[in-house]
Amino acid sequence: MAADSTVMPLSQIDGWLAEQSARLALSKRRIAFAELDQWVFRPDPLRLGHSSGNFFEIEGMRVETDFDQTRSWDQPIIRQPEVGILGAVARSFNGVLHLLLQAKIEPGNINGIQLSPTEQATRSNYRKVHGGNLPPFHKYFTEAGHGHVLVDRLLSEHGDRFLRKRNRNVIVEVGDDVEAPDGFCWLTIGQIHRLMQRDNLINMTTRSVISCILPPPGEAASYRALDRASGFGIPLADSLRGERSLHATDGLLCWLSDLRARHHIRTYRRGIDALDGWQFQDDEIRWTGAAPGHAEAAGRGARPPGPADDPGFSVIAVSVEAHGREVRRWTQPLVHHPGIGVNGFLTRRIEGVLHFLVRAWLPPGGDTSLELGSSVSCASQAALAADVARHPELAPLLNPAAATIRHRSIQSEEGGRFDQYRSLYLIVESPEATGPVQEPDGMRWMTLGQIAAFTHFGMVNIEARNLLACLSFCADEPVSPRISNNVEMA
């Protein structure tokens, strides 16, 4: 796996990004919901959607479950009943596979430009409902005969923010006649992994695609390079082979079946103006925690909602002006995240083999099936502390010692629907197990190879996939410093 390339050397990436930043300026300002153009409130129950009936809606949901500590709650959720395309065109240069990435600016990006796949489009986008142009490489992902399909998987998106949203993750290898137009660049997978060590540069959709192509264990050179730098590469290779795992894969399937049989989740539509614990304002739908029945519940011994219960998001409206986009001006709602969440994996060596502590999640926006996810996925440090209080085995993720950190970065989620949604991505290795292995309820230690197998069948959530995509299989030499990207918030 090539850590650099003469096609677009990493030493030139910051200069190229600066050029794209000057070309792709974007500004946005918050507005009242009444100022949204082509967005309307629909009744029974009240929800906010595009006048065309396409794109997405913001609606309300009541959730009831016996799976987690919180048994019922209300929240807004994005309803987008379309399958999006997250597609990367691939081409070989001198025998090394490169992916065609695009410098893309989204209204919700914290820092302006990020590197997205060749195509990142919803069905509404490529049907040109927005009045813009068809994505330039669209035929490679929708028409036969334009290349060789390397990856094609239908995978879930954030189940706590989207209602039953799926994306088709595709990589298509093409011939030498395909060139990179302005705004696109060819990068090796190793280069992309190295750039993921930087904050907020490789966007969520690129990470999702990259997570589908873990390198084969036979590529030992990549692992040995990382091993010299961090002592982590050879254990990753052994873990990817999946030999000597704590649990047989059949046993893990039985564990999941048992959880599915014992637990349920039910959801009900509610108006976005009638959500318990949420306040519907002229320019924001925000969580207050003050819901009918909380005082009564506190009187029965249940604690009232606190900072750890804050879902960490609100719904806002923005007006956007952009250059270098199919549409220059538009308005839209966004799901705003003012803080920084935590997405972390705890790892340890069990009988010498690296395992990851995988957690079963039952997201409200999923298809009512359990998904496998990272060890922790929290909206805030307060929520992480509360999670650790319930599961002390997760304590190494709360304040990890520097020597135990195998990956640490701040990564952004998708900026077309989310505003400033960032999480601390953390992979921590705890000391090797010497006695009986402890597994908190709803969690299992799994090898990287087992996680990859479950990913192939769409059973691993986007938080875990995107975190594992950050594992670098190349020597982690320093990369160039960040640049200032061109984004304004009025």
Side-chain angles (χ1 to χ4, degrees), residues 178-199:
V178 177
E179 300 293 341
D182 192 21
F184 292 76
C185 68
W186 295 105
L187 293 173
T188 69
I189 297 168
Q191 286 178 303
I192 297 169
H193 276 298
R194 292 182 66 190
L195 291 172
M196 271 193 276
Q197 311 309 306
R198 294 165 60 164
D199 295 347

Side-chain angles (χ1 to χ4, degrees), residues 141-152:
F141 308 110
T142 57
E143 301 175 11
H146 294 291
H148 173 61
V149 177
L150 302 179
V151 170
D152 192 350

Side-chain angles (χ1 to χ4, degrees), residues 350-369:
I350 300 173
E351 295 186 1
V353 177
L354 189 71
H355 285 66
F356 293 73
L357 187 58
V358 175
R359 189 170 189 167
W361 296 92
L362 191 55
D367 60 2
T368 72
S369 295

Side-chain angles (χ1 to χ4, degrees), residues 55 73 91 265:
F55 297 108
W73 69 91
R91 177 182 164 185
I265 188 167

Side-chain angles (χ1 to χ4, degrees), residues 181-238:
D182 192 21
F184 292 76
C185 68
W186 295 105
L187 293 173
T188 69
I189 297 168
Q191 286 178 303
I192 297 169
H193 276 298
R194 292 182 66 190
L195 291 172
M196 271 193 276
Q197 311 309 306
R198 294 165 60 164
D199 295 347
N200 303 312
L201 178 57
I202 303 297
N203 83 352
M204 180 209 82
T205 53
T206 302
R207 298 196 305 273
S208 181
V209 174
I210 289 292
S211 73
C212 299
I213 48 174
L214 283 170
E219 291 190 6
S222 296
Y223 295 99
R224 291 195 182 103
L226 180 61
D227 195 63
R228 286 195 297 271
S230 68
F232 204 50
I234 300 303
L236 278 177
D238 291 340

Side-chain angles (χ1 to χ4, degrees), residues 8-300:
M8 171 63 81
L10 287 178
S11 60
Q12 298 178 13
I13 193 72
D14 285 318
W16 182 81
L17 286 170
E19 292 173 2
Q20 303 309 312
S21 182
R23 184 177 65 87
L24 298 172
L26 179 146
S27 64
K28 68 180 179 184
R29 60 182 179 88
R30 287 185 58 169
I31 59 176
F33 292 123
E35 297 178 72
L36 285 167
D37 181 32
Q38 300 185 57
W39 292 83
V40 296
F41 285 104
R42 296 189 174 94
D44 303 324
L46 190 70
R47 58 202 190 277
L48 177 60
H50 196 263
S51 58
S52 68
N54 294 289
F55 297 108
F56 63 95
E57 286 188 335
I58 303 290
E59 64 180 37
M61 173 188 284
R62 160 63 59 89
V63 184
E64 295 178 357
T65 181
D66 64 352
F67 185 70
D68 204 356
Q69 188 85 353
T70 304
R71 297 305 176 96
S72 67
W73 69 91
D74 289 0
Q75 68 168 85
I77 198 160
I78 304 170
R79 179 182 179 87
Q80 188 171 3
E82 302 179 341
V83 174
I85 293 177
L86 309 181
V89 166
R91 177 182 164 185
S92 180
F93 291 86
N94 299 320
V96 177
L97 198 68
H98 289 62
L99 300 185
L100 186 61
L101 298 192
Q102 178 182 183
K104 197 172 184 67
I105 192 165
E106 297 283 6
N109 287 359
I110 188 70
N111 62 335
I113 282 181
Q114 294 178 6
L115 292 175
S116 76
T118 315
E119 178 164 331
Q120 171 186 314
T122 66
R123 188 167 182 267
S124 294
N125 291 144
Y126 59 74
R127 290 178 62 202
K128 300 187 286 187
V129 174
H130 58 350
N133 299 318
L134 191 69
F137 293 90
H138 184 65
K139 67 180 182 181
Y140 294 96
F141 308 110
T142 57
E143 301 175 11
H146 294 291
H148 173 61
V149 177
L150 302 179
V151 170
D152 192 350
R153 294 182 189 169
L154 193 62
L155 300 173
S156 63
E157 202 161 332
H158 298 82
D160 55 351
R161 299 290 185 269
F162 282 100
L163 181 62
R164 296 176 181 86
K165 178 74 167 65
R166 293 286 187 270
N167 288 315
R168 190 177 173 191
N169 291 247
V170 189
I171 301 177
V172 178
E173 186 174 8
V174 299
D176 294 346
D177 58 325
V178 177
E179 300 293 341
D182 192 21
F184 292 76
C185 68
W186 295 105
L187 293 173
T188 69
I189 297 168
Q191 286 178 303
I192 297 169
H193 276 298
R194 292 182 66 190
L195 291 172
M196 271 193 276
Q197 311 309 306
R198 294 165 60 164
D199 295 347
N200 303 312
L201 178 57
I202 303 297
N203 83 352
M204 180 209 82
T205 53
T206 302
R207 298 196 305 273
S208 181
V209 174
I210 289 292
S211 73
C212 299
I213 48 174
L214 283 170
E219 291 190 6
S222 296
Y223 295 99
R224 291 195 182 103
L226 180 61
D227 195 63
R228 286 195 297 271
S230 68
F232 204 50
I234 300 303
L236 278 177
D238 291 340
S239 186
L240 188 55
R241 291 186 186 96
E243 300 170 358
R244 294 182 292 124
S245 57
L246 178 64
H247 299 286
T249 301
D250 285 348
L252 294 171
L253 287 169
C254 290
W255 166 67
L256 280 172
S257 296
D258 177 65
L259 288 176
R260 286 170 172 158
R262 288 192 290 115
H263 297 288
H264 74 271
I265 188 167
R266 299 185 181 94
T267 60
Y268 310 89
R269 294 181 75 185
R270 301 198 73 178
I272 53 177
D273 59 340
L275 297 174
D276 288 351
W278 294 78
Q279 188 174 63
F280 185 89
Q281 301 174 329
D282 291 342
D283 61 351
E284 188 173 21
I285 304 170
R286 67 183 185 90
W287 185 80
T288 64
H294 279 163
E296 180 185 352
R300 295 194 299 267

